[in-house]
Amino acid sequence: AAEKATQYNESYETVPADPAAALSSATAAMNELQTTTSLESSHTLAAARAALRSDLDQEYFKDLDTLNASQLRVRVVQLATEMADRTKWEAVRLKEFLAMKEKEVGEKYLEILQKQRLEFESLLAQKLREQEDTITRQANAALQAKEESIQSLLQATSAAREKETEEILSSETKRITSEVQFEYQQQLQNEMAAMKEKYMKELEEHANVMKGLQEKLGVLESRLEVSRNYESGSKRAHKISAAALALANKLEVGETAAVEIAALKGAAGDEGVIASAVKMIPKSADAGVPTVTDLQAAFDKTYAIGRQAAMVPEGRSGLEGQLLGMIFAKLSVPPSPDSVPTSEEEGNVADGILSLARKYVQLGDLEKAVDQLNKLKGQAAYVVQDWKVQASDRISTERALKVIKLECALLNKDLVNSGS
């Protein structure tokens, strides 16, 4: 029965079956194992009883015909004593034998149940993953089709309205233009005839005066334009600098900066270097980007989990593989960042990458640390993904702040030069 249960387990590992059928087969194997064990115990007890009877026949019953009455009484007493002793001994042996068999059956039963539980959990997890993947694909396909239909409808509606509006506008423009031109031409011709003669004389008189006034007006306009440009430029530069300073203070300490980003966008406008730099700031800045110190503290936990994932044997991503990864990570010594293995023959490459990334994180060089983590594959890459996203957001934020501060400095410098 034990061999049949083992054969059942091996066949179940190679060919996936229905859970109900697998449970029925396992129950049948258990019943057969118990029946076989009971039969083996019965056969063993029968053999022991036959051996006992044979010993008694040879020792106490072989020469009964030659004994007298007193010898028969002695023989009966000896036989009773021997039977009592043997009965006690056989009872002890039977108890030990049954206990041993019960323990053996229990161990085999527990072993088979443990294998069945692990196999059912693996099969259930596989079915859930397949169902989740199928549902996800169907939902994505439906959303994509819906989005495409909405986009096509919006484009068609927009094109039709735009064409209709252009045709109406063109028609009204032509009609109004023709009417206005005709009306003003008539009026202009009538008035020009009367005014031309009148103003010709006055024009000659004021020509000389206007020439002098135009020269003075040109000088005053140039001075006024310089003054207006300086004043508007000064206000804009101070507004941008104040908004940039408030944004930098928020982002450098990892606080929420949604209000400051909106203020800087309003001050800088939609074009220019500062507007482009603001677009470089990640969306997570609205809720706060972790600082370098926060990322350094969080990387210690990420590093430990990454080492455990890197130590998981290839092809064994289940619970057993995870446990082996945790054990190997605790027993092994991390490689030195100065001697990182470059191949599996020299050592665990992923472990070396994590050690080198840890060195860069401790030095505050997040860009090099992220470059190293990008080399990871498999489970190790998956467990460090969240930290890598936060580090990338901090890198983008720092770059944007550098560009904004430099542009503010140049803006103030140009303002000072124009004022002087």
Side-chain angles (χ1 to χ4, degrees), residues 37-38 41-42 45 91-105:
T37 305
S38 300
S41 301
S42 300
L45 291 175
V92 173
R93 285 183 58 193
L94 177 60
K95 183 178 180 181
E96 292 178 352
F97 179 79
L98 291 177
M100 180 182 67
K101 287 298 181 180
E102 183 178 357
K103 181 179 179 182
E104 181 180 352
V105 171

Side-chain angles (χ1 to χ4, degrees), residues 213-417:
L213 293 176
Q214 286 179 353
E215 293 177 354
K216 293 180 181 180
L217 181 61
V219 174
L220 292 175
E221 285 180 349
S222 62
R223 292 180 180 178
L224 180 60
E225 185 68 21
V226 171
S227 177
R228 287 178 177 176
N229 291 338
Y230 179 78
E231 183 178 357
S232 61
S234 176
K235 290 181 179 179
R236 182 172 180 271
H238 285 86
K239 187 176 181 180
I240 292 175
S241 299
L245 180 60
L247 176 61
N249 291 335
K250 290 288 187 177
L251 293 179
E252 288 174 354
V253 297
E255 296 181 359
T256 58
V259 177
E260 288 73 12
I261 292 176
L264 184 56
K265 286 182 179 179
D270 296 333
E271 298 180 356
V273 178
I274 294 179
S276 300
V278 172
K279 294 178 181 179
M280 292 171 56
I281 299 175
K283 296 293 184 181
S284 58
D286 294 343
V289 180
T291 63
V292 177
T293 304
D294 296 336
L295 292 171
Q296 289 174 338
F299 188 76
D300 292 337
K301 182 178 179 180
T302 303
Y303 173 75
I305 298 175
R307 287 199 72 229
Q308 294 177 8
M311 294 295 178
V312 173
E314 185 176 358
R316 302 177 69 179
S317 59
L319 178 60
E320 181 182 356
Q322 299 298 328
L323 293 176
L324 290 175
M326 295 174 64
I327 294 172
F328 292 156
K330 291 182 179 179
L331 296 179
S332 62
V333 178
S336 173
D338 299 327
S339 59
V340 175
T342 57
S343 63
E344 295 297 336
E345 289 78 7
E346 299 179 4
N348 194 315
V349 176
D351 197 6
I353 292 174
L354 288 171
S355 297
L356 190 57
R358 185 183 186 186
K359 173 185 175 182
Y360 289 134
V361 171
Q362 292 174 350
L363 295 176
D365 195 344
L366 298 180
E367 293 188 24
K368 292 184 178 180
V370 172
D371 291 339
Q372 291 296 324
L373 294 178
N374 287 332
K375 300 177 182 179
L376 294 175
K377 299 178 180 179
Q379 294 188 26
Y382 177 77
V383 298
V384 303
Q385 182 64 28
D386 293 340
W387 185 92
K388 192 167 63 175
V389 170
Q390 293 179 351
S392 299
D393 290 344
R394 170 48 59 181
I395 293 172
S396 300
T397 301
E398 294 293 338
R399 290 175 178 173
L401 288 178
K402 288 181 181 179
V403 174
I404 291 172
K405 290 178 180 179
L406 179 60
E407 187 64 19
C408 288
L410 293 175
L411 187 62
N412 290 317
K413 182 179 178 181
D414 294 340
L415 182 63
V416 171
N417 292 334

Side-chain angles (χ1 to χ4, degrees), residues 177-220:
T177 302
S178 60
E179 292 178 356
V180 171
Q181 286 180 350
F182 178 78
E183 180 180 354
Y184 277 97
Q185 284 178 357
Q186 293 294 327
Q187 184 178 357
L188 183 62
Q189 290 176 358
N190 296 330
E191 292 180 355
M192 284 294 293
M195 293 175 62
K196 185 175 181 180
E197 185 177 355
K198 178 181 179 180
Y199 285 107
M200 284 297 294
K201 296 180 180 179
E202 295 180 358
L203 182 61
E204 292 178 357
E205 295 177 356
H206 294 288
N208 296 327
V209 178
M210 288 296 297
K211 186 177 181 180
L213 293 176
Q214 286 179 353
E215 293 177 354
K216 293 180 181 180
L217 181 61
V219 174
L220 292 175

Side-chain angles (χ1 to χ4, degrees), residues 18-251:
D18 185 71
L23 182 59
S24 301
S25 301
T27 304
M30 294 298 102
N31 295 332
E32 186 176 356
L33 177 61
Q34 293 176 354
T35 304
T36 305
T37 305
S38 300
L39 292 175
E40 291 177 355
S41 301
S42 300
H43 294 331
T44 304
L45 291 175
R49 190 180 298 108
L52 176 61
R53 183 177 295 277
S54 177
D55 292 342
L56 290 174
D57 291 340
Q58 292 177 3
E59 186 174 355
Y60 296 104
F61 300 127
K62 65 182 178 178
D63 55 350
L64 292 178
D65 297 335
T66 60
L67 299 178
N68 55 26
S70 62
Q71 290 176 341
L72 285 174
R73 285 194 294 271
V74 172
R75 182 66 63 83
V76 169
V77 172
Q78 290 177 349
L79 179 61
T81 304
E82 182 68 20
M83 288 297 293
D85 292 338
R86 292 198 177 193
T87 301
K88 293 178 180 179
W89 172 247
E90 289 300 327
V92 173
R93 285 183 58 193
L94 177 60
K95 183 178 180 181
E96 292 178 352
F97 179 79
L98 291 177
M100 180 182 67
K101 287 298 181 180
E102 183 178 357
K103 181 179 179 182
E104 181 180 352
V105 171
E107 291 176 352
K108 291 180 180 179
Y109 186 77
L110 288 176
E111 181 181 357
I112 292 175
L113 283 181
Q114 181 68 15
K115 289 182 179 180
Q116 291 299 319
R117 185 181 69 83
L118 294 176
E119 291 166 356
F120 289 156
E121 289 178 353
S122 177
L123 179 62
L124 180 59
Q126 181 181 359
K127 294 294 183 181
L128 288 175
R129 287 193 298 269
E130 293 176 355
Q131 188 67 20
E132 182 181 358
D133 183 68
T134 302
I135 293 174
T136 303
R137 291 175 180 273
Q138 293 175 354
N140 291 337
L143 289 175
Q144 183 66 25
K146 188 67 175 178
E147 184 177 356
E148 291 176 356
S149 63
I150 291 174
Q151 289 294 333
S152 61
L153 179 61
L154 288 176
Q155 290 177 358
T157 305
S158 177
R161 290 183 177 180
E162 183 177 357
K163 183 177 181 180
E164 182 180 358
T165 303
E166 289 178 355
E167 292 176 354
I168 295 174
L169 180 61
S170 176
S171 175
E172 290 295 323
T173 302
K174 291 180 180 179
R175 183 182 63 80
I176 295 173
T177 302
S178 60
E179 292 178 356
V180 171
Q181 286 180 350
F182 178 78
E183 180 180 354
Y184 277 97
Q185 284 178 357
Q186 293 294 327
Q187 184 178 357
L188 183 62
Q189 290 176 358
N190 296 330
E191 292 180 355
M192 284 294 293
M195 293 175 62
K196 185 175 181 180
E197 185 177 355
K198 178 181 179 180
Y199 285 107
M200 284 297 294
K201 296 180 180 179
E202 295 180 358
L203 182 61
E204 292 178 357
E205 295 177 356
H206 294 288
N208 296 327
V209 178
M210 288 296 297
K211 186 177 181 180
L213 293 176
Q214 286 179 353
E215 293 177 354
K216 293 180 181 180
L217 181 61
V219 174
L220 292 175
E221 285 180 349
S222 62
R223 292 180 180 178
L224 180 60
E225 185 68 21
V226 171
S227 177
R228 287 178 177 176
N229 291 338
Y230 179 78
E231 183 178 357
S232 61
S234 176
K235 290 181 179 179
R236 182 172 180 271
H238 285 86
K239 187 176 181 180
I240 292 175
S241 299
L245 180 60
L247 176 61
N249 291 335
K250 290 288 187 177
L251 293 179

